[in-house]
Amino acid sequence: MNVRDKEFTSRTGGGPGGAADRGERNLAPATVSPHAAPSPGPAAGVSRPHESARAQVAGSATYVDDIPEVKGTLHAAPILSTVAHGRLIGVDAGPARAMPGVRGVVLARDIPGDPKLATFVHDEPIFALDKVEHVGQVVGIVIADTVMQARRAARQVQLQIEPLPAVLSPREAHARQSYVLAPVTVRRGAPEAALAASAHRLEGQLEVGGQEHFYLEGQVAYALPLEQDQWRIHSSTQHPGEVQHWVAHALGLENNAVTVECRRMGGGFGGKETQAGHMAVWAALAARKYRRPVKLRLDRDDDFMITGKRHPFAYDYSVGFDGTGLVTALRLTMLANCGFSADLSGPVADRAIFHTDNAYFLSDVEIVSYRCKTNTQSHTAFRGFGGPQGVIVIETILGDVARRLGMDALDVRLRNLYGLEERNVTHYQMKVEDNILHPLITQLERTSDYRRRREAIAAWNARSPVIKRGIAITPVKFGISFTATFFNQAGALVHVYTDGSVQVNHGGTEMGQGLNTKVAQLVAHELGVPFERVRSTSADTSKVPNASATAASSGTDLNGRAAQYAARNIRDNLAAFVSGLDACGAGAVSFARGQVISPKATRTFDEVVKAAYANRIQLWSDGFYRTPKIHYDKLTLTGRPFFYFSYGAACSEVAIDTLTGESRLLKVDILHDVGTPINPAIDIGQIEGGFIQGVGWLTTEQLVWNDRGYLATHAPSTYKIPATGDIPEHFKIELWHEPNPEDNVFGSKAVGEPPFMLAISVWEAIREAVAAATDGTAVRLEAPATAENVWRALLPESIDTGARES
């Protein structure tokens, strides 16, 4: 724990003007608190149960679809395009209107405000206008008395569409120069000359698929019209402020007419950062037209067909290296499949550029990023936000380099790590100041027994003709902050009530990750009260305005610090009050274990609060935080976009069946850097969940669009997320022992996204097993490494088309 967060001492002074000096009522020492005995130990820095755990287990936690419906509530269902690209000639809703319970349809002509969503690029229509651009694009919605009536009727709406040629892959889009945004290039040094002078060179391609978010709670919104053209929107969203803005924009209103609330989500993973706004806008438009509350909840199939995924990427690379495996030059082309509109593709592709280095110094490098427009769903944020697509390509390249030289891939990775005094500036000109990569990786190498296991695996593979094994250690260095600098701000409100109980509200949203739990711990820690006395409330745009999305792993960093500052203001007010009573300096007053302690007396927090109220001392406060030090030029992608880096490493062992291509994850050892943990149990849970979600991305979760642009994998029957049987029995997680060297809340580090990329160790271990089966120095494997893709990689023609020496 950092010294700055240990003491509950005030920053304000006492002296003349205090309560005692004014002759106001004095305060007797504490006796017995009317509340239950506080739980032992500190409020923060220890494992606490998730604040909603009991309610979730009991089924009493309220999600949007659980909110009791207002009398007269109608239900909406989307009308979907069945064509990937075409001119929208007409919409015949007659058959739908004739069905029982149907009230009507809402189309683009019913929008009172802007017919396009209020996105930064302003390129996505609310409903299809004169054309459709992917199978599943929403043309309008059907409104009915029940959800099933609406869904059945939506399927009876007849669309007249004149088909046009569709672009379905990023390589095809690149060939046609079809982009949603202009290309971006980042260069350092002289990569062409360095490549020509390199002792060894490889060229290769890589294809990496997308990923469905598969949140347990699907997309849902509930729009309620209020008096005087005001609106209340219940939305399952990571960004209530953006939903507020989008709804107001579509209705032709100012933001202050719309209030958006989100108590919790049943998962988000980035899929509810922007795209939850669509549901809210559609529901609000219907509620306006029919002057009734309207709920829109997508079923799972429609959710798949409508919403964007993790961006699929394609890569072309040329890499130069010396005989020790040191990379001397890299030229990389990234083709991001963005879908039919920009959404968040710009910053996603930017972050992929930022994380192409991962943990490694690249001296002479050129990265060209193309943001390709295809006739698929508009791809969006997903845990890691482009970082995984950057990290996987450099790890794949280093694995190829190691096999070309006949070296252990870990030694090649260690050879290329960032240094401490030199080789410590990224390709985007940010200095790596808190580098713990080498000690962290070498510690994991020892604790996982990597070298001995690698020898044992080589012996196994020599005598096993069918089952081959592989092992790999890969690190992660992940930058923490929104790359859009202005999002790195947060606000919070803390209220202390006269009975000593505390309520905190902040701009972040709870999606199961434990944000509200950590924020409550921080507030309790600051006020010196038991954790149980603090209650977190719903994210609400009428309480904290203009809040940023809960994303970029920054939810606790931003909102936790803002809440800490708000609580500190109240603590300072109370300290000043007590210092006046006891004729001491406010800095001598401390808060701990539900007590307020001065040199003259020890009182309960509750008694101090009651007396402070009686003396008209403010017992509520706001807090505001903006991330320091960050800046960068968004045109050149240079500067300091991140406040700090989170680090980690994973050692994964796998086995593959060379006859079927099936793979199994056998063992996982993880060492991850979370700084000083606010709640170790929650952090470990995030590491477990992030890693397994990453395993799904790289092994089983395959998105397949057919040649008509139809997503064939649109349900659990065809799209396979990891299940309990995919978790290895040996799954060991340890936390790095040092606090965050930057002045972050509680000395902690972000934990939501970085562990996801540790699953790339599984990808590299599978490629090692494929190489062992083929004696190949180059492995041509597409991600995800499904049984089919692994089997294909074992074929002789796949070996020949892997990374090639040039």
Side-chain angles (χ1 to χ4, degrees), residues 291-336:
R291 296 295 169 185
R292 301 270 289 276
V294 172
K295 181 189 287 186
L296 172 57
R297 176 173 58 84
L298 298 183
D299 69 16
R300 184 65 66 179
D301 292 84
D302 286 349
D303 204 322
F304 264 85
M305 299 302 294
I306 294 169
T307 61
K309 324 297 177 192
R310 181 184 298 280
H311 289 66
F313 267 58
Y315 312 82
D316 298 310
Y317 64 86
S318 298
V319 60
F321 52 98
D322 66 16
T324 69
L326 181 69
V327 171
T328 52
L330 175 64
R331 299 190 70 192
L332 174 66
T333 298
M334 292 178 155
L335 307 177

Side-chain angles (χ1 to χ4, degrees), residues 11-325:
R11 296 173 296 163
T12 60
D21 186 64
R22 295 192 299 268
E24 297 177 9
R25 184 171 63 89
N26 207 335
L27 196 63
T31 54
V32 179
S33 169
H35 301 285
S39 56
V46 296
S47 295
R48 297 281 183 185
H50 190 287
E51 53 92 22
S52 296
R54 287 182 179 272
Q56 287 168 322
V57 170
S60 60
T62 301
Y63 297 85
V64 172
D65 203 34
D66 299 320
I67 296 171
E69 294 172 2
V70 175
K71 183 179 180 180
T73 293
L74 301 175
H75 296 266
I79 304 164
L80 307 184
S81 169
T82 56
V83 176
H85 189 205
R87 294 186 182 91
L88 181 59
I89 307 300
V91 178
D92 181 6
R97 285 194 177 96
M99 296 182 70
V102 173
R103 298 302 182 100
V105 299
V106 180
L107 302 171
R109 62 175 176 263
D110 297 308
I111 301 170
D114 192 332
K116 291 190 176 181
L117 292 168
T119 63
F120 287 113
V121 182
H122 201 243
D123 65 341
E124 185 173 349
I126 294 172
F127 296 124
L129 298 172
D130 57 350
K131 62 181 176 180
V132 295
E133 296 192 85
H134 74 91
V135 175
Q137 184 173 358
V138 176
V139 176
I141 52 176
V142 171
I143 312 303
D145 292 335
T146 71
V147 62
M148 292 312 298
Q149 288 173 336
R151 289 175 179 174
R152 293 188 188 104
R155 284 156 174 76
Q156 299 304 311
V157 175
Q158 298 174 7
L159 303 178
Q160 185 181 355
I161 300 172
E162 179 185 328
L164 296 170
V167 177
L168 300 177
S169 76
R171 292 194 182 277
E172 182 184 1
H174 183 46
R176 297 188 181 196
Q177 296 190 334
S178 173
Y179 309 120
V180 297
L181 295 164
V184 172
T185 300
V186 173
R187 285 176 59 92
R188 176 165 66 179
E192 297 88 353
L195 192 63
S198 296
H200 304 275
R201 294 185 297 277
L202 286 177
E203 294 179 351
Q205 293 184 329
L206 178 64
E207 311 290 328
V208 175
Q211 187 177 22
E212 165 63 30
H213 299 88
F214 219 109
Y215 22 65
L216 292 183
E217 176 204 29
Q219 297 277 7
V220 58
Y222 186 25
L224 293 94
L226 306 176
E227 62 170 276
Q228 302 180 67
D229 212 9
Q230 296 180 73
W231 295 81
R232 186 158 200 90
I233 309 293
H234 295 281
S235 174
S236 181
T237 176
Q238 295 173 237
H239 199 174
E242 185 165 74
V243 171
Q244 176 193 37
H245 177 50
W246 281 22
V247 170
H249 188 76
L251 295 178
L253 302 172
E254 292 187 311
N255 287 354
N256 64 5
V258 179
T259 298
V260 177
E261 180 180 351
C262 177
R263 174 60 182 92
R264 62 174 58 84
M265 289 164 276
F269 311 117
K272 296 176 181 177
E273 184 172 344
T274 60
Q275 304 212 351
H278 300 69
M279 315 307 133
V281 168
W282 297 334
L285 289 170
R288 178 190 179 276
K289 181 173 180 178
Y290 293 98
R291 296 295 169 185
R292 301 270 289 276
V294 172
K295 181 189 287 186
L296 172 57
R297 176 173 58 84
L298 298 183
D299 69 16
R300 184 65 66 179
D301 292 84
D302 286 349
D303 204 322
F304 264 85
M305 299 302 294
I306 294 169
T307 61
K309 324 297 177 192
R310 181 184 298 280
H311 289 66
F313 267 58
Y315 312 82
D316 298 310
Y317 64 86
S318 298
V319 60
F321 52 98
D322 66 16
T324 69

Side-chain angles (χ1 to χ4, degrees), residues 352-468:
I353 294 173
F354 288 139
H355 287 81
T356 294
D357 62 334
N358 190 22
Y360 313 110
F361 178 77
L362 302 174
S363 60
D364 295 84
V365 58
E366 177 187 67
I367 303 169
V368 185
S369 170
Y370 293 94
R371 293 92 197 272
C372 301
K373 179 174 181 175
T374 60
N375 293 116
T376 64
Q377 293 82 355
S378 186
H379 298 310
T380 190
F382 201 131
R383 196 177 202 163
F385 201 80
Q389 293 96 318
V391 173
I392 192 172
V393 66
I394 191 65
E395 294 298 343
T396 298
I397 289 170
L398 292 183
D400 289 343
V401 167
R403 281 183 287 274
R404 179 65 66 185
L405 295 175
M407 294 178 61
D408 185 335
L410 177 58
D411 292 328
V412 172
R413 292 184 167 96
L414 291 171
R415 181 73 176 89
N416 284 282
L417 288 178
Y418 278 104
L420 295 177
E421 301 298 331
E422 54 186 19
R423 291 171 52 86
N424 63 349
V425 177
T426 68
H427 55 294
Y428 48 91
Q429 304 305 311
M430 177 176 173
K431 188 175 182 180
V432 181
E433 297 174 328
D434 57 347
N435 187 353
I436 58 171
L437 286 163
H438 193 274
L440 187 148
I441 295 169
T442 52
Q443 179 174 319
L444 179 64
E445 176 190 346
R446 292 191 302 272
T447 58
S448 66
D449 202 14
Y450 169 81
R451 300 289 181 179
R452 185 198 63 78
R453 287 167 60 189
R454 188 170 187 272
E455 291 179 359
I457 287 170
W460 166 281
N461 288 336
R463 64 176 182 268
S464 175
V466 175
I467 305 299
K468 299 293 184 181

Side-chain angles (χ1 to χ4, degrees), residues 202 396-397 399-406 767-768 770-772 774-780 799 802-805:
L202 286 177
T396 298
I397 289 170
D400 289 343
V401 167
R403 281 183 287 274
R404 179 65 66 185
L405 295 175
R767 295 200 329 131
E768 286 287 304
V770 171
T774 59
D775 293 325
T777 56
V779 175
R780 176 68 170 180
I799 308 303
R804 303 174 301 280
E805 188 149 12

